Amino acid sequence: MMAAPIKKSSRRPTTRKLVSKAGTTATEQRLQEILNGAQCPHLLYLVPQPLKTELLRQIPGPAEIRRGRSLKMGDDEFSKLQSSLHRELNETTVSLGDSGQQVSIARFFRHVACLMQLDRRCRQTSFRNADEISRMIGEKFQLKQAYKSAKAALNELCLYCGLIYSWPETRLISITPVIQNGLADRNFAGLAFVVEECYSEQQKFKLGDIVRPAFRIGLSCRNKQMNWLHLNQSLFENSPYSDEIKLPVYIQIHATNRMIQRLDIIDRKYFYLYLILALKSQKAFRYKQKTLIELSISGQKAGYLVSAIVDDKILIKTFLLLSDHGTPEGDRAHQLCERHQVDMSQWNTDRLSTFSQSSLTSEHKPKSLVSSAGCHSLFQITPSSTAHPDRHHSTLALSQLLQPAKQGKPKSLTASI
């Protein structure tokens, strides 16, 4: 007589158990990858199993991005901001110890934080291999220096993402990182961000018979605080003590409209980033009774911000593309073309797209004349080259903006030019 076949249970593990099991395995694998990169693959095997299980369970999830009370951004745009921030967290890296291993900021504040907690437990409690584990962590990872670098990179990427979602006519965005409960604390709850917004000061300027509104340039900070940008008066005039006088900076709507019009292949969300970088570049000079401040895009000169002192304030009046009349390169290009009887009127040379998408790029003589006049950089700026600006290069130039103001002086950002 044959035995009845054993019925397999149709009951499946709950979703929670599946997720928990898969999540724990993936977490341990990622931590092990970091240990392998630091050439200490066996470190995790020295940790008592109960402690290892506890530490792995405490590794927090992905960073949380929260709306601040002041944020009125729509859901679609907020979702784009979240995606941008998560991408930067995964693409920005920090070096761990002498091995030179690069770990993303996202993984640092999740998996490397686990090693910081393990090191703290080794120092506070006594168990087998505790001294050896602590020694290996100290030698291989140099966590104090790595943590310092990670925090600096974190502040820089928050500044970068805030700038690309800011525009003086609408709102200025601030993104504040929050390390919940301390990185080495056993109750560490992960990394979070608070996104807030505030509005730029508006003032009207009368230039001749025309009155135009302008907006003050600065960076939004947490709790609606502002760090306003200032430039040295000596940039515009040589008078006694002018290098010690700092003036606030405003930009006319006319200037922002010209940026949008003339930089027509650039994603508008990067304009405020490029504007701030231009004002921090310290590349300015006088030309035909005007002060021109160089504006570059992805390391290539694109044009100039035409500025002047009006009512004891620095006012950006307009933006000129490199090839426009009124710039040294543009005036020289038009003179060369006239001399060689080249008609430039068939091309819109006051649009950046002309230099990357039109027949001008294949016309040897006009292209050669325009390039020799100093406008060659315009041919290097393409939609693909500006799709994702180099954040490291940008934040390196902006790092001074993150320095605390000196005690006893007003809180402001000063670009010495």
Side-chain angles (χ1 to χ4, degrees), residues 98-112:
D98 295 333
S99 67
Q101 179 185 187
Q102 298 294 313
V103 176
S104 72
I105 297 297
R107 292 185 68 177
F108 184 92
F109 284 95
R110 294 186 64 197
H111 304 98
V112 178

Side-chain angles (χ1 to χ4, degrees), residues 296-358:
S296 295
I297 293 174
S298 299
Q300 300 292 335
K301 188 192 296 186
Y304 298 102
L305 301 166
V306 182
S307 311
I309 294 179
V310 181
D311 299 334
D312 294 326
K313 299 173 180 65
I314 294 172
L315 178 65
I316 300 172
K317 295 180 176 181
T318 190
F319 169 76
L320 295 176
L321 199 65
L322 205 60
S323 55
D324 283 336
H325 279 296
T327 72
E329 297 85 353
D331 289 345
R332 192 157 52 244
H334 286 86
Q335 289 170 6
L336 283 173
C337 289
E338 288 177 7
R339 190 181 307 162
H340 290 81
Q341 298 181 343
V342 174
D343 182 13
M344 295 295 291
S345 62
Q346 60 182 303
W347 294 290
N348 294 323
T349 55
D350 64 341
R351 301 288 190 278
L352 185 56
S353 57
T354 298
F355 297 87
S356 64
Q357 300 171 356
S358 75

Side-chain angles (χ1 to χ4, degrees), residues 203-301:
Q203 183 169 328
K204 292 183 178 180
F205 291 84
K206 187 175 182 180
L207 302 174
D209 296 329
I210 302 175
V211 177
R212 286 175 173 163
F215 295 86
R216 194 171 181 182
I217 295 177
L219 301 179
S220 174
C221 300
R222 195 168 186 181
N223 299 322
K224 297 186 179 181
Q225 297 297 313
M226 287 296 302
N227 277 347
W228 296 114
L229 190 69
H230 291 73
L231 296 179
N232 284 345
Q233 184 176 330
S234 58
L235 174 64
F236 301 85
E237 57 185 33
N238 291 321
S239 58
Y241 309 108
S242 62
D243 59 339
E244 299 177 7
I245 300 174
K246 317 296 181 184
L247 300 178
V249 185
Y250 288 76
I251 185 168
Q252 287 188 144
I253 291 180
H254 175 75
T256 59
N257 288 341
R258 287 293 176 265
M259 287 180 68
I260 294 169
Q261 179 188 56
R262 291 168 175 162
L263 301 174
D264 54 346
I265 65 171
I266 308 300
D267 191 330
R268 179 175 170 174
K269 71 179 183 181
Y270 298 120
F271 280 7
Y272 198 56
L273 170 67
Y274 290 131
L275 177 64
I276 294 286
L277 287 173
L279 295 172
K280 290 291 295 178
S281 70
Q282 303 186 21
K283 297 178 181 178
F285 60 94
R286 298 283 295 172
Y287 180 71
K288 293 184 176 180
Q289 289 77 52
K290 296 179 294 187
T291 298
L292 304 182
I293 302 175
E294 181 182 315
L295 185 142
S296 295
I297 293 174
S298 299
Q300 300 292 335
K301 188 192 296 186

Side-chain angles (χ1 to χ4, degrees), residues 85-99:
L85 192 52
H86 280 301
R87 183 179 66 248
E88 294 298 333
L89 285 169
N90 286 303
E91 292 181 357
T92 305
T93 60
V94 62
S95 179
L96 292 180
D98 295 333
S99 67

Side-chain angles (χ1 to χ4, degrees), residues 50-153:
L51 177 57
K52 182 172 78 172
T53 302
E54 179 187 346
L55 290 171
L56 291 173
R57 284 177 178 172
Q58 288 176 350
I59 292 180
E64 179 185 357
I65 304 173
R66 307 169 184 163
R67 285 177 171 271
R69 292 182 180 179
S70 63
L71 191 68
K72 298 178 182 178
M73 181 184 288
D75 290 341
D76 288 345
E77 194 166 8
F78 184 67
S79 178
K80 292 178 182 178
L81 184 149
Q82 288 177 308
S83 298
S84 297
L85 192 52
H86 280 301
R87 183 179 66 248
E88 294 298 333
L89 285 169
N90 286 303
E91 292 181 357
T92 305
T93 60
V94 62
S95 179
L96 292 180
D98 295 333
S99 67
Q101 179 185 187
Q102 298 294 313
V103 176
S104 72
I105 297 297
R107 292 185 68 177
F108 184 92
F109 284 95
R110 294 186 64 197
H111 304 98
V112 178
C114 176
L115 295 178
M116 296 182 74
Q117 294 174 33
L118 174 59
D119 186 45
R120 180 187 60 82
R121 296 289 285 273
C122 290
R123 295 172 186 275
Q124 291 181 351
T125 58
S126 178
F127 57 87
R128 186 180 179 183
N129 300 324
D131 291 340
E132 184 179 358
I133 293 170
S134 182
R135 178 187 59 78
M136 290 177 65
I137 292 175
E139 290 178 356
K140 298 292 185 180
F141 294 98
Q142 299 175 11
L143 291 178
K144 285 186 178 180
Q145 181 59 40
Y147 181 43
K148 183 179 179 181
S149 300
K151 285 202 300 182

